[in-house]
Amino acid sequence: MSTDTTILTYITTEIATGDEPVDRETDLLLTGLVDSIGVMRIVEWLETTHEIEIHPADVILENFQTVAAMAAFVEQRLDTASD
Amino acid sequence: MQLLSQLLYHDRIDFGAPAVTDGRRSLDYGELIDRSGRLAAAFVDAGIRPGDCVAIHVRKSVDSMVAVHASLQAGAIYVPLDPMAPVSYLATLVHDCATRVLVSDASGAVLADLVEQTDLDVVIGPDQAPATSRCIPWAAVGELDAREPVALVDDDPAYIIYTSGSTGTPKGILHTHASGLAYAKLAASTYGLRPGDRLANIAPLHFDQSTFELFAAPFAGSSVVMVPEPVLRFPASLTELVEREQITVWYSVPYLLIQVLQRGALDQRDLRRLRWVLFGGEVFPPGLLAELMSMWPHARFSNVYGPAEVNQCMYFHLDEPPIDLGAVPIGRAWADTEVAIVDDDGQVVEAGTSGQLLVHTSTMMDRYWNRPGLTDGSIRVRSTSTGGTGRWYATGDQVVERPDGNLVFLGRADNQVKIRGHRVELEAVEAALLDLDGVADAAVVGAGPDELIALIVPRGPVDHRELLVTLGARLPKYSVPTGIAEVASLPRTATDKIDRRAARELLPETP
């Protein structure tokens, strides 16, 4: 599965479990689909799943606003790690 | 100045000075006066008369500042609604205050549901509103002629802050122009606010801490920097904003400061402009406070105390990190305020003995909205130091006075807990649980900091996740338990009340 599909699955089954539909481009922060505890859980899950370490300075709004942004951030981290 | 509606109309206001920014838009005081005057005209056009309620359902932004001051100037009572709360919860508040006018930045299903579930006639802000209501978009507001503030007296009602109620129905705390303005004055003088100060508005509008920035900043001619809700979920983004916007005064719950300490990338930020950090609403663990204070030696720190019924009323300034790791005191009363510690019979306790804190202050609420019984139950008429009698608010907080005169908070006499600074009455969550089909009996207990666990006696098989999702559609998010444990029956006291202490023992392991 691609990075964004796994992230989307995780978000919809574990974090944003309400009725509102979520896709790759949904703004997860605007309506409170993901709160501050949700952010921490996502970071922890990304670190475990992808065996990466995410520095607090990278846990910023721009990297977590949408599933697509998270996937881009993780892929960039994986690319850097494999260089 | 005697009224909150005059906050933008006093001699010290410099029309060209920055009043408010939200990162996307900024207004100087001249523009804020103009925009709030036009919105006040829209309120009048919508049928609002002095003493009517206006619901403000707007995320922190330039518009939220405009909406608050426009309401005050139109003589309306502003009622802030949590933009993140479920619609059914908001609908109960709209019914309770019987408002027909809403300012909103919502759209689509949220707005449609809110209008459908209430008697709202007029929606101000959106370009489109449901057909059953009249819509006044921002563009149309901008074409109205600005109105001057209407004539009011200082005990006229100004705003209602809703908080958790132990019967399950939220209770509205009604403040007046006098109590709000007294708060603005005392906040400005206690913290030396001045033009050039930049206050971060961190608390959402429906949380009483927000009145610090909304009222005290214009009183002092300082400016307000609105911190958008999404930024608060990212401590590193928040500290980046504080640096970029050159924030000088910060006021929040300890939870957020702890997040900043642990995940705020502080080693990469220059926050030396920050001169005063105020925290309140819950207890700040002293070890973490000491750590944060050593990171920000340039800032003064204050533990501020005051239930929403009295705004702030006490403070404890810290110039050095706390050395002993005992609780940080809530300190002493500020000006125009008296406090008393009393026993169950209302008698003042002997020095060093704990008791309930009573507060008599110029910043006190008028009453609970439409709840005379609750009001009578929480207000005592007692003698004051000036020789007369006055209204005292019984806080329900247990405190003790230290030999040095500072008060220390010990806990609650009732079942109110704080979740990230938000007041939650455990009974309110239990009432919502008992409303659900699969729940025969329920008790809610605190489990570690900022976490609630529900113990339920199920009626047949129950899907826990589904239960929590249903609850999340009815209650503000912070009051939804994070877990559910099933039990065969709940322990009760001799008077048939839930014994929460014994109930907690039923949990497999308590962190």
Side-chain angles (χ1 to χ4, degrees):
Chain A
M1 262 197 297
S2 65
T3 313
D4 51 2
T5 312
T6 50
I7 296 176
L8 185 60
T9 308
Y10 174 73
I11 301 273
T12 49
T13 53
E14 296 293 329
I15 307 282
T17 48
D19 292 337
E20 289 175 70
V22 175
D23 63 33
R24 296 180 73 252
E25 301 295 340
T26 306
D27 188 330
L28 299 167
L29 306 172
L30 201 62
T31 53
L33 281 170
V34 175
D35 62 10
S36 55
I37 293 155
V39 171
M40 283 193 271
R41 289 176 59 196
I42 293 168
V43 169
E44 210 169 283
W45 176 80
L46 287 174
E47 287 186 322
T48 315
T49 315
H50 296 281
E51 293 178 335
I52 52 175
E53 197 183 322
I54 300 176
H55 193 271
D58 287 328
V59 185
I60 51 174
L61 197 147
E62 292 77 4
N63 288 339
F64 288 83
Q65 194 138 21
T66 61
V67 167
M70 286 182 228
F73 169 70
V74 168
E75 273 160 18
Q76 184 219 336
R77 286 296 312 270
L78 291 170
D79 284 352
T80 328
S82 61
D83 281 347
Chain B
M1 201 191 315
Q2 287 169 331
L3 302 167
L4 278 176
S5 50
Q6 294 163 336
L7 276 174
L8 306 180
Y9 293 83
H10 60 84
D11 297 345
R12 297 185 308 281
I13 287 280
D14 172 0
F15 290 161
V20 56
T21 183
D22 58 19
R24 290 185 308 122
R25 290 177 302 155
S26 304
L27 302 180
D28 62 28
Y29 273 101
E31 291 164 331
L32 177 59
I33 290 167
D34 181 68
R35 285 189 61 100
S36 54
R38 290 175 200 269
L39 182 56
F43 288 149
V44 174
D45 186 44
I48 290 293
R49 299 291 172 263
D52 292 344
C53 291
V54 165
I56 305 182
H57 180 243
V58 177
R59 291 178 187 82
K60 275 173 287 170
S61 59
V62 161
D63 292 337
S64 62
M65 181 85 171
V66 167
V68 164
H69 288 281
S71 306
L72 296 169
Q73 289 164 25
I77 303 170
Y78 85 81
V79 182
L81 302 179
D82 179 0
M84 306 294 173
V87 168
S88 63
Y89 174 80
L90 297 181
T92 52
L93 307 190
V94 171
H95 276 296
D96 188 60
C97 67
T99 179
R100 295 178 170 273
V101 177
L102 174 81
V103 187
S104 182
D105 60 6
S107 57
V110 170
L111 190 58
D113 291 350
L114 190 53
V115 170
E116 196 199 315
Q117 294 178 29
T118 59
D119 298 324
L120 289 166
D121 293 329
V122 183
V123 177
I124 300 177
D127 291 330
Q128 280 186 329
T132 52
S133 64
R134 179 181 159 209
C135 175
I136 310 180
W138 278 117
V141 173
E143 284 169 16
L144 299 170
D145 289 330
R147 281 185 73 102
E148 297 274 310
V150 302
L152 299 167
V153 295
D154 62 1
D155 57 3
D156 277 335
Y159 64 100
I160 298 175
I161 298 279
Y162 276 94
T163 183
S164 181
S166 58
T167 57
T169 314
K171 57 188 180 196
I173 296 164
L174 177 70
H175 276 280
T176 62
H177 282 262
S179 65
L181 187 65
Y183 179 46
K185 284 180 182 172
L186 284 167
S189 62
T190 305
Y191 302 102
L193 303 182
R194 51 188 180 245
D197 265 325
R198 295 175 63 76
L199 281 56
N201 176 203
I202 294 167
L205 218 53
H206 65 279
F207 191 32
D208 67 302
Q209 284 186 355
S210 65
T211 54
F212 180 80
E213 295 89 25
L214 296 167
F215 300 164
F219 182 84
S222 312
S223 63
V224 179
V225 177
M226 295 288 174
V227 181
E229 282 80 356
V231 173
L232 295 178
R233 293 170 222 157
F234 298 91
S237 296
L238 177 57
T239 54
E240 193 270 327
L241 181 147
V242 172
E243 179 178 9
R244 174 167 33 88
E245 294 287 356
Q246 305 198 320
I247 300 299
T248 62
V249 180
W250 167 303
Y251 181 24
S252 80
V253 291
Y255 172 78
L256 208 57
L257 286 162
I258 294 168
Q259 294 291 308
V260 159
L261 171 68
Q262 294 174 338
R263 285 177 266 279
L266 289 178
D267 53 333
Q268 299 175 34
R269 304 282 187 263
D270 176 1
L271 305 179
R272 277 173 298 179
R273 293 291 298 271
L274 206 50
R275 67 173 185 85
W276 212 316
V277 176
L278 287 67
F279 60 88
E282 62 186 349
V283 174
F284 203 142
L288 294 170
L289 175 60
E291 211 179 313
L292 182 65
M293 287 185 71
S294 63
M295 303 282 292
W296 292 348
H298 45 276
R300 196 172 199 198
F301 282 66
S302 295
N303 186 16
V304 306
Y305 168 85
E309 284 84 350
V310 295
N311 287 300
Q312 280 182 34
C313 59
M314 303 185 68
Y315 61 80
F316 182 76
H317 298 327
L318 295 105
D319 291 310
E320 302 289 334
I323 347 169
D324 77 86
L325 295 183
V328 180
I330 56 175
R332 334 169 158 260
W334 67 3
D336 294 339
T337 300
E338 285 182 56
V339 295
I341 306 174
V342 300
D343 62 19
D344 290 346
D345 299 323
Q347 300 298 312
V348 173
V349 299
E350 282 177 41
T353 310
S354 66
Q356 183 184 193
L357 178 65
L358 305 188
V359 184
H360 171 65
T361 176
S362 56
T363 60
M364 184 172 140
M365 69 166 179
D366 183 61
R367 61 183 189 272
Y368 292 114
W369 182 255
N370 285 344
R371 307 284 283 273
L374 264 183
T375 306
D376 291 346
S378 69
I379 291 179
R380 312 267 185 275
V381 175
R382 298 170 59 94
S383 57
T384 62
S385 65
T386 51
T389 55
R391 299 164 77 232
W392 294 68
Y393 172 62
T395 63
D397 287 338
Q398 297 293 306
V399 300
V400 67
E401 184 175 345
R402 294 197 320 198
D404 67 0
N406 286 301
L407 269 53
V408 176
F409 171 74
L410 300 173
R412 292 287 302 176
D414 60 10
N415 295 307
Q416 182 190 107
V417 297
K418 292 289 186 81
I419 303 293
R420 298 187 290 282
H422 294 280
R423 275 156 64 162
V424 178
E425 306 282 347
L426 295 178
E427 294 93 333
V429 187
E430 288 160 1
L433 275 163
L434 289 171
D435 257 357
L436 305 179
D437 285 340
V439 181
D441 203 358
V444 176
V445 296
D450 297 321
E451 213 175 313
L452 298 175
I453 301 287
L455 291 107
I456 60 163
V457 179
R459 196 174 277 140
V462 171
D463 180 334
H464 292 190
R465 147 104 24 114
E466 206 172 289
L467 208 67
L468 291 177
V469 170
T470 314
L471 211 54
R474 300 185 183 188
L475 293 175
K477 199 159 187 169
Y478 53 80
S479 59
V480 178
T482 50
I484 291 180
E486 292 189 15
V487 292
S489 67
L490 288 170
R492 291 189 177 266
T493 63
T495 53
D496 209 31
K497 288 180 176 159
I498 292 170
D499 184 343
R500 288 191 184 71
R501 186 169 300 182
R504 198 195 308 250
E505 304 284 311
L506 299 178
L507 288 174
E509 62 184 77
T510 309

